Amino acid sequence: MRFDVITLFPELFAPLLTTGITRRAFESGQVDVQLTNPRDFAEGAYRRVDDRPFGGGPGMVMMAEPLAQTLSHIREQRQTQAPVVLFSPIGKVLDHALVSEFATGEGAILLCGRYEGLDQRFIDAHVDMQVSLGDFVLSGGEIAAMALLDAVARLQPGVLGDPMSHHQDSFNPALDGLLDCPHYTRPEVWGGVAVPEILLSGHHVNIERWRREKRLALTARNRPDLLVRARSEGRLTPQDEQYLSKVSPSLL
Ligand SMILES: C[S@@+](CC[C@H](N)C(=O)[O-])C[C@H]1O[C@@H](n2cnc3c(N)ncnc32)[C@H](O)[C@@H]1O
């Protein structure tokens, strides 16, 4: 799959593309990331990409023409059609379902805004989807684009050392869509606190039940919306319901 990223700051992506476990996916081209700077398609000695907003007000707005030139250059390079995704606080909030769609698709053209945002005429003409990282405002779309690329890369086959790693992660509908359970490693006692005894028991059925209960309790406390969804999709067993009625009766 190929992701083209339109950004005024391509240098921000170097650490993502060359570090950590997902680096394999980027360096092998399994997730091919191409960075394009609209400044390279801007005209004039100053290669201007922004201007003051009509109607007055603070800040600057990204101009439509350099973006349109950048996009048409990218479309010529790509062999496949690809949706244009603009990162914006007004977009649909990125979640596991949307990441999974991108992770199994052919890629996209990711557009990182800066300043006050983009000229609306460009958005109306070329943007297929707006995606937000959450209810807060970043200085630019690059961190949102990196979040999406990282999440997509770790879902690719062979990228994580153990293919079961993302199976047990939070939000995975293939498992139950619940939050992940707590994890512990050596030493057995740290800061005077011992690892839960059951994890040392070697009794796999009991360990799995303990983990399941931790997932249920954590989800009930932190994300009751996920629990409601798991219930409506039939992902909770009678044993789960019995446990929940003990720990959080108000949620039933
Ligand atoms: C300073 S912000 C512009 C904010 C815009 N004036 C607003 O209030 O909706 C500049 C750029 O950062 C990116 N950005 C900011 N917050 C974001 C978020 N929560 N999710 C995704 N992208 C975001 C967008 O690409 C945006 O064009």
Side-chain angles (χ1 to χ4, degrees):
M1 69 183 61
R2 171 172 164 161
F3 287 92
D4 283 275
V5 183
I6 302 179
T7 170
L8 289 169
F9 298 99
E11 63 277 15
L12 287 177
F13 288 80
L16 170 78
L17 300 177
T18 57
T19 314
I21 200 148
T22 47
R23 174 183 139 195
R24 284 186 225 162
F26 298 126
E27 290 185 346
S28 68
Q30 199 175 0
V31 179
D32 180 15
V33 177
Q34 300 292 328
L35 304 164
T36 309
N37 190 337
R39 207 170 286 286
D40 295 338
F41 298 86
E43 292 191 340
Y46 295 106
R47 296 193 168 274
R48 229 177 141 160
V49 291
D50 59 318
D51 211 330
R52 286 193 293 273
F54 280 121
M60 304 294 272
V61 176
M62 289 180 83
M63 293 191 291
E65 188 53 25
L67 292 172
Q69 294 294 333
T70 310
L71 187 57
S72 93
H73 170 78
I74 290 171
R75 291 240 190 258
E76 277 166 26
Q77 306 287 308
R78 287 187 70 110
Q79 272 131 37
T80 50
Q81 271 299 322
V84 176
V85 178
L86 170 63
F87 292 101
S88 166
I90 74 162
K92 177 180 161 56
V93 175
L94 187 62
D95 62 6
H96 180 83
L98 195 50
V99 167
S100 300
E101 267 178 48
F102 284 114
T104 50
E106 291 194 8
I109 299 170
L110 308 180
L111 180 42
C112 305
R114 281 271 157 177
Y115 317 120
E116 289 306 317
L118 280 57
D119 188 311
Q120 187 61 38
R121 291 167 295 183
F122 177 85
I123 298 175
D124 295 341
H126 296 294
V127 170
D128 299 299
M129 182 195 298
Q130 301 199 46
V131 172
S132 167
L133 207 53
D135 292 350
F136 48 84
V137 177
L138 296 159
S139 311
E142 286 78 6
I143 290 173
M146 284 190 257
L148 173 62
L149 291 170
D150 179 82
V152 163
R154 70 192 304 287
L155 287 181
Q156 299 309 308
V159 170
L160 298 188
D162 181 339
M164 285 312 280
S165 287
H166 58 70
H167 183 75
Q168 63 161 35
D169 280 344
S170 300
F171 314 115
N172 187 355
L175 183 59
D176 48 26
L178 302 179
L179 300 180
D180 194 9
C181 62
H183 301 278
Y184 299 86
T185 187
R186 282 186 286 186
E188 279 182 34
V189 179
W190 179 83
V193 182
V195 167
E197 226 178 287
I198 194 150
L199 299 179
L200 308 174
S201 69
H203 194 300
H204 294 297
V205 174
N206 288 352
I207 291 173
E208 275 323 300
R209 191 63 225 161
W210 179 88
R211 288 182 169 152
R212 177 80 178 172
E213 289 179 355
K214 289 291 168 196
R215 296 169 74 92
L216 289 163
L218 260 177
T219 310
R221 194 180 69 205
N222 295 351
R223 291 292 304 274
D225 58 309
L226 296 179
L227 201 61
V228 169
R229 191 193 302 172
R231 181 174 289 126
S232 73
E233 291 173 355
R235 296 177 200 276
L236 301 186
T237 64
Q239 205 180 359
D240 293 338
E241 296 290 8
Q242 201 181 14
Y243 172 74
L244 283 166
S245 67
K246 275 191 286 168
V247 292
S248 63
S250 62
L251 286 156
L252 293 175

